[in-house]
Amino acid sequence: ADIGRVLGGLAKGNLNEKVTGDYAGSFDELKRNANETVDRLRDVMTRIRDTVMSLKDNVEQIANGNSQLRSRTAEQARGMESTAASMEEITGTVRHNGQNVEQARELARRAKAQAQDGGEAVRNTTRAMAAISSASARIADITSVIDEIAFQTNLLALNASVEAAHAGEQGKGFAVVANEVRDLAQRSSQAAREINELINDTASKVREGSELVDISGRHLDQIVDLVTEVSRHIDEIAVAGNEQLIGIEQVNQEVVRFERIVQKNAGMVQETSNVSDALREESETLARLVGYFQVGPAAPGGPLGKERRSKNRPWARAG
C-alpha cells in the first residue's frame, strides 16, 4: 500500500510522498530503495526547476535587452542614414564650390591677361603720342621756316614793286607779278601761322592725352597687380578646396561604409531578437513542463544553493 501510494504520487508529479511505515527484511530494503529513488528524483527535479527558472529569468532579460538594443540600433541606423545623406549633400556642395572656384580662377587668369594686354596697349599709345608730339615739334619748325620764307618773299616782292615803280611803263608788268608774289607770300605766312597755332593746340592736347594715358597705364599696372594677387588667392583657395573635397569624400566613404555596417548590425540584432523571443517561449514551455512536478519550495540561491549569475548583466542595465 505504501509503495502504491508513492508510485501514485509519482504518476501525478508529486515527489513529496514517501514510505513511512516500519518494515524488516526485503520490505525494509524496498522501503529504502523507494524513498531514495523519490529523494533523488526530487533533488534532480528541484535542481532542474531552479535551473529552468534561472534560465527563464536570464532569457527574459536577454530578450528585453535585445529589444532595447534593436530599438537603439534601428534609431542609430536611421541617424546614420540621415548623416550619410547630409554628408553626400555636403560633398556635392563642396564639389560645386570647387567647380565655381575653378571657373573664378579661369576668369581671373583671363582678366589678368586682358589687363596685361591693356597695359601694353597703353604703353604703345604713350609711345605713339610721344612720336606725334615729336612730329608736331618738327612740323612747327617747318612752319617757322615757311613763315620766314614768306617774310623774305614779301620783302623781295615789296622791293620789286618799288623798282617796278621807278622803271615806269616798262615795269608795270613786273609790278603786277610782284604784287601777286607779295599776296602769295602773305597768304603763305597766314597759313603758316594758322598751322603753327593748330600744331601748338594739338601738341597741348597730345600732352594732356599723354598725361591721361600715363595715369591710365599706372592704374592698369595696379589692376594687373591686384588681379595677380586675387588670382594667387583663388589658386590657394582652389588647392585648399581640392584637399577639402578629397577629405570630405573620404569621410563620406567612411560614413557610407559605417552605415552599411550599422544596417548589417541592425539585421543581426533583429535575428538575435527573434531567436531570443523564440528561446523565451521555449523556456516558458519548459517551465510549464517542469511545473508539473511538486517538489516543495525552491532552494534559496538557485539550484546549487547560491547565485551563479553576475548581477552586472549588460541587458539588465538601465537606459
Side-chain angles (χ1 to χ4, degrees):
D2 284 339
I3 292 297
R5 177 175 50 78
V6 171
L7 292 177
L10 290 177
K12 296 177 182 179
N14 186 0
L15 302 180
N16 295 318
E17 296 290 343
K18 297 181 69 174
V19 178
T20 58
D22 293 330
Y23 300 96
S26 297
F27 290 106
D28 185 60
E29 184 178 357
L30 181 60
K31 169 187 173 181
R32 290 196 304 273
N33 290 337
N35 289 338
E36 185 176 355
T37 300
V38 172
D39 289 338
R40 288 185 178 274
L41 283 175
R42 184 172 60 249
D43 182 63
V44 171
M45 292 308 300
T46 299
R47 293 173 180 267
I48 292 175
R49 182 193 64 180
D50 293 340
T51 301
V52 167
M53 297 304 294
S54 176
L55 176 63
K56 180 182 176 183
D57 181 53
N58 288 339
V59 169
E60 184 70 24
Q61 295 183 15
I62 291 174
N64 293 334
N66 281 330
S67 178
Q68 296 178 7
L69 181 60
R70 178 178 58 188
S71 176
R72 294 173 184 172
T73 304
E75 183 178 357
Q76 185 180 20
R78 289 191 297 270
M80 284 304 303
E81 184 177 359
S82 177
T83 301
S86 299
M87 285 300 302
E88 184 66 26
E89 183 177 355
I90 292 173
T91 303
T93 301
V94 172
R95 188 180 295 112
H96 182 67
N97 289 339
Q99 295 173 355
N100 290 336
V101 169
E102 188 64 28
Q103 293 177 358
R105 180 163 62 176
E106 180 63 23
L107 291 175
R109 188 181 301 114
R110 290 162 59 182
K112 178 182 177 181
Q114 291 178 359
Q116 290 174 344
D117 293 340
E120 184 63 25
V122 167
R123 285 188 288 273
N124 292 334
T125 303
T126 302
R127 288 192 291 269
M129 296 188 98
I132 291 173
S133 179
S134 177
S136 298
R138 286 186 296 174
I139 291 173
D141 294 337
I142 292 172
T143 56
S144 297
V145 173
I146 293 173
D147 187 45
E148 184 67 24
I149 292 173
F151 179 75
Q152 294 296 332
T153 301
N154 189 30
L155 289 178
L156 290 174
L158 180 61
N159 292 330
S161 297
V162 172
E163 293 297 329
H166 290 165
E169 267 323 300
Q170 291 80 9
K172 287 184 179 180
F174 187 74
V176 173
V177 173
N179 288 331
E180 292 293 334
V181 171
R182 184 179 177 185
D183 291 338
L184 182 62
Q186 291 176 351
R187 290 168 60 188
S188 298
S189 178
Q190 182 65 28
R193 284 194 294 272
E194 291 177 357
I195 292 173
N196 194 27
E197 290 176 358
L198 291 175
I199 289 175
N200 291 332
D201 184 63
T202 302
S204 176
K205 292 180 179 179
V206 166
R207 284 192 297 272
E208 293 178 359
S210 297
E211 293 176 357
L212 293 176
V213 169
D214 289 338
I215 294 173
S216 299
R218 289 193 295 271
H219 287 318
L220 277 175
D221 290 337
Q222 293 176 358
I223 291 173
V224 170
D225 294 338
L226 291 175
V227 171
T228 302
E229 185 70 14
V230 170
S231 180
R232 185 177 65 82
H233 287 301
I234 291 177
D235 290 338
E236 294 177 356
I237 292 173
V239 173
N242 290 332
E243 294 178 354
Q244 184 181 22
L245 178 60
I246 293 173
I248 289 180
E249 286 182 345
Q250 292 177 351
V251 172
N252 186 36
Q253 292 175 359
E254 290 299 321
V255 169
V256 172
R257 186 177 68 86
F258 189 63
E259 181 192 7
R260 294 197 189 102
I261 294 175
V262 170
Q263 295 291 346
K264 187 176 180 180
N265 290 341
M268 296 176 64
V269 168
Q270 181 65 38
E271 293 178 1
T272 304
S273 179
N274 295 335
V275 172
S276 64
D277 290 339
L279 183 60
R280 176 168 56 186
E281 294 177 359
E282 292 176 358
S283 66
E284 290 176 352
T285 301
L286 182 59
R288 287 195 300 270
L289 293 175
V290 173
Y292 175 77
F293 296 96
Q294 302 175 19
V295 295
L304 299 180
K306 63 179 180 179
E307 176 66 48
R308 293 183 298 175
R309 294 172 294 131
S310 173
K311 295 181 180 180
N312 296 323
R313 293 179 290 277
W315 53 81
R317 296 176 184 173

